Amino acid sequence: MCPPDDLNAEARRHAERFQRVREAHQTELAEDYVELIAHLIEETGEARVVDLAGWLGVTNATVNNTIQRLQRDGLVTTKPYRSIFLTDAGRELAEQSRKRHDIVREFLIALGVDSQTADIDAEGIEHHVSSATLKAFAKFVNKARRST
Amino acid sequence: MCPPDDLNAEARRHAERFQRVREAHQTELAEDYVELIAHLIEETGEARVVDLAGWLGVTNATVNNTIQRLQRDGLVTTKPYRSIFLTDAGRELAEQSRKRHDIVREFLIALGVDSQTADIDAEGIEHHVSSATLKAFAKFVNKARRST
DNA sequence: ACAACATCTTAGCAAGGGCTAAATTTAGGT
DNA sequence: ACCTAAATTTAGCCCTTGCTAAGATGTTGT
């Protein structure tokens, strides 16, 4: 009797979007960690638990837990009481995250947001930007650059 | 002996940003729920567990859990086996979330992102946009509107 | 009125991600 | 070489956010 009702279709689409956001959440922390680890290795030669804890604003114990999970997931390697290294997968994820982060940050600045706010917001936004949107951001940055 | 070292200052700023993102995460779900509840009440007259579950893509039991927490936190009211209502605080949060969501979505579209991608990305981005950035987004949308 | 069905709730489980406190190991200074 | 301080790990706790399965309650059609 009922026509295939559009309300359900809308609900379904909505639900899909939510599932996607939930999935993104699961990779956020991993991205932040590998990005930071790559940065520390580049800048200081090594990544230690205590440094990560300081940069992330959490305790050493928390970092340790998380590193175990990242190791389980094949993103980092480490031996007891030693510093942390990225696997190939970890390095790749780190590189990709860094690029995205930079584009988002530059985009916000090009849009007229002050650089401190850009730093803060980029940290949250970067994990939720699809490649299509990222492309649009990059295009805008380039256009803004050319016109100055 | 050491000069107040800038590495630590950078680390401190980084840690603050992270803490802010972590805080945002704690309010995300609440925002999504009240936004959806407001929408359902407006469109269908009431918000029921089963509808929320369908729109969010989770089970009824999960919705129920979350609603308990939201009630504890003063955002919704409900009685056993009855539908869900927003408190004043809940309504306010819903309204604010809806506005932010809409601006982000319109902004992405104005930037040239296709509307389906805009729908998806807005869902993730909206919770991480400061009021300064939101203002910049709104300004861009208005400018784009005037120039067409 | 009441049986069947839908909805809601409860109970119990798991993983993620945070904490503190208490080992344990490593590294540095004398 | 050894003692101490720093770093790391472990253990045990908490809350959130998801799930399934089972029980309780409402609603509806005949």
Side-chain angles (χ1 to χ4, degrees):
Chain A
M1 185 193 183
C2 309
D5 82 5
D6 288 344
L7 231 147
N8 280 358
E10 195 188 349
R12 234 178 302 115
R13 261 177 283 127
H14 191 269
E16 270 167 39
R17 293 202 289 272
F18 259 87
Q19 273 151 357
R20 213 172 291 215
V21 173
R22 261 182 281 140
E23 279 163 30
H25 276 163
Q26 301 200 318
T27 60
E28 271 187 48
L29 202 70
E31 287 174 3
D32 290 336
Y33 268 74
V34 295
E35 198 179 336
L36 180 54
I37 290 167
H39 179 253
L40 287 174
I41 289 175
E42 201 172 320
E43 295 294 312
T44 72
E46 64 173 356
R48 310 229 49 145
V49 169
V50 68
D51 300 321
L52 287 168
W55 281 75
L56 294 167
V58 296
T59 62
N60 290 5
T62 295
V63 169
N64 214 55
N65 272 342
T66 308
I67 293 297
Q68 307 299 329
R69 252 176 300 144
L70 297 183
Q71 189 163 27
R72 181 200 61 191
D73 297 343
L75 294 170
V76 309
T77 59
T78 179
K79 280 185 238 172
Y81 300 97
R82 300 275 161 229
S83 69
I84 300 146
F85 302 93
L86 294 171
T87 62
D88 288 351
R91 227 181 331 270
E92 200 171 326
L93 183 60
E95 179 60 16
Q96 180 194 312
S97 299
R98 192 191 55 74
K99 275 186 193 154
R100 221 173 22 182
H101 189 137
D102 285 350
I103 290 174
V104 171
R105 194 177 158 282
E106 282 172 35
F107 170 74
L108 291 175
I109 288 171
L111 196 68
V113 175
D114 69 286
S115 71
Q116 245 185 318
T117 303
D119 279 339
I120 293 169
D121 288 10
E123 202 75 69
I125 291 173
E126 62 167 324
H127 307 287
H128 301 280
V129 170
S130 65
S131 61
T133 298
L134 194 67
K135 219 174 268 185
F137 280 13
K139 193 172 154 191
F140 182 87
V141 171
N142 284 333
K143 206 158 57 176
R145 279 235 184 85
R146 274 199 308 278
S147 75
T148 50
Chain B
M1 188 197 180
C2 309
D5 82 6
D6 289 344
L7 232 147
N8 281 357
E10 195 188 349
R12 236 177 299 116
R13 261 177 282 126
H14 191 269
E16 271 167 39
R17 294 201 289 272
F18 260 88
Q19 273 151 356
R20 213 173 291 216
V21 174
R22 261 182 283 141
E23 279 162 30
H25 276 163
Q26 300 200 317
T27 60
E28 271 188 48
L29 202 70
E31 288 174 2
D32 290 336
Y33 268 73
V34 295
E35 198 178 335
L36 181 54
I37 291 167
H39 179 253
L40 288 175
I41 289 175
E42 201 172 319
E43 295 294 312
T44 72
E46 64 173 357
R48 310 227 47 144
V49 168
V50 68
D51 300 321
L52 287 168
W55 281 73
L56 293 167
V58 297
T59 62
N60 289 5
T62 296
V63 169
N64 213 55
N65 272 342
T66 308
I67 293 296
Q68 306 300 329
R69 254 175 308 162
L70 296 183
Q71 189 162 28
R72 181 200 62 191
D73 297 344
L75 293 171
V76 309
T77 59
T78 179
K79 279 185 238 175
Y81 299 97
R82 300 275 161 231
S83 70
I84 299 146
F85 301 93
L86 294 172
T87 62
D88 288 351
R91 226 180 331 270
E92 199 172 326
L93 183 61
E95 178 61 14
Q96 180 195 313
S97 298
R98 192 192 55 76
K99 274 186 194 155
R100 220 173 24 181
H101 189 136
D102 286 350
I103 290 174
V104 171
R105 194 177 158 281
E106 283 173 36
F107 171 74
L108 291 175
I109 289 171
L111 196 69
V113 175
D114 70 285
S115 72
Q116 246 185 318
T117 303
D119 279 340
I120 294 169
D121 288 11
E123 203 74 70
I125 291 173
E126 61 167 324
H127 306 289
H128 301 281
V129 170
S130 65
S131 61
T133 298
L134 194 67
K135 219 175 267 183
F137 281 13
K139 193 172 156 192
F140 182 86
V141 170
N142 284 334
K143 206 158 58 174
R145 279 237 183 82
R146 274 199 309 277
S147 76
T148 49

